[in-house]
Amino acid sequence: MDDTPMPEPLRRAIHQLVSEAVQNLQEVLRYTEPDIAHDWKRMTLIRATDASDTMDMASLLIAAYCQRTGMAMDTLASYLQTRQQHSRAAGPTDDDRAHLAGLLGEPAPENGGEQGGLGLRYWRGQYTAESAQQVEDDPQKLFTEAVLHGLRARLCDDVDALDSYLPPHVAELARKVAGVLEEPQPAPV
């Protein structure tokens, strides 16, 4: 195993791309809130795909470096998990529609499906719906959501707006995160 560190210019580029993806994900969360209901479809899709494209760019930069340093193509394909990729250009598949049906509590599709069947994707949708209802029971999900909302509120200088669209327990934690992110003042000399 190669234990040479990532080259500094690549490391900085990856940090920048991850930061950009997180900003897009912050906007995805923001556009899911009820007070922006008029534009949620367009903006959540745009920002989610922006985040995905940005992370694809990060993955491919790392892959280009690995290829340049002699990594075998089959190893690289394995690390990139190319068998899992799904083209957005093809649009939603039967599997995606089955997942949505399970998520929305609709009846399960009766026909077969791609890669493992629609039943698995339907079940995954049901599981996601059940898990999402219990977000307060999962401290990691609550913390992640609060950090993203708090960071966005701090960046937009709009901490007071958190109360208008978040459940009280999430808004409280997001306010704490935003408070910690106050710009430090220079120390007096």
Side-chain angles (χ1 to χ4, degrees):
M1 181 146 239
D2 182 11
D3 56 349
T4 59
M6 182 182 282
E8 188 60 25
L10 180 58
R11 190 187 74 75
R12 285 192 305 266
I14 298 303
H15 280 242
Q16 176 61 36
L17 291 168
V18 169
S19 177
E20 185 179 320
V22 168
Q23 288 174 7
N24 285 315
L25 293 173
Q26 291 166 345
E27 289 194 42
V28 169
L29 281 180
R30 180 62 182 104
Y31 281 102
T32 65
E33 299 305 331
D35 65 321
I36 307 186
H38 67 282
D39 213 17
W40 73 267
K41 293 173 187 172
R42 180 175 71 89
M43 292 308 297
T44 54
L45 284 171
I46 288 171
R47 292 303 177 232
T49 56
D50 286 348
S52 178
D53 289 344
T54 301
M55 291 313 301
D56 280 347
M57 188 183 310
S59 298
L60 292 174
L61 275 174
I62 295 167
Y65 176 79
C66 291
Q67 185 180 36
R68 182 176 191 229
T69 59
M71 182 177 284
M73 286 306 292
D74 59 333
T75 302
L76 190 56
S78 168
Y79 290 176
L80 286 171
Q81 304 178 73
T82 56
R83 283 183 259 163
Q84 294 180 24
Q85 71 186 47
H86 171 74
S87 172
R88 290 192 311 260
T93 65
D94 287 342
D95 284 348
D96 299 320
R97 288 184 282 278
H99 190 148
L100 179 64
L103 186 67
L104 297 177
E106 296 172 351
E110 295 181 25
N111 57 341
E114 306 152 14
Q115 300 173 356
L118 297 180
L120 180 61
R121 289 298 296 270
Y122 180 79
W123 175 84
R124 181 188 248 172
Q126 288 181 314
Y127 177 78
T128 302
E130 291 168 11
S131 298
Q133 290 178 2
Q134 302 164 355
V135 71
E136 63 277 353
D137 296 336
D138 186 341
Q140 186 174 3
K141 287 180 185 175
L142 174 63
F143 180 74
T144 301
E145 186 175 343
V147 166
L148 288 174
H149 281 297
L151 180 58
R152 183 188 179 284
R154 174 55 52 217
L155 291 172
C156 296
D157 199 27
D158 198 13
V159 177
D160 294 334
L162 293 169
D163 293 318
S164 67
Y165 62 89
L166 291 177
H169 64 289
V170 177
E172 180 182 351
L173 189 52
R175 259 193 314 285
K176 288 179 183 177
V177 169
V180 170
L181 297 174
E182 292 281 343
E183 287 189 40
Q185 300 301 318
V189 267

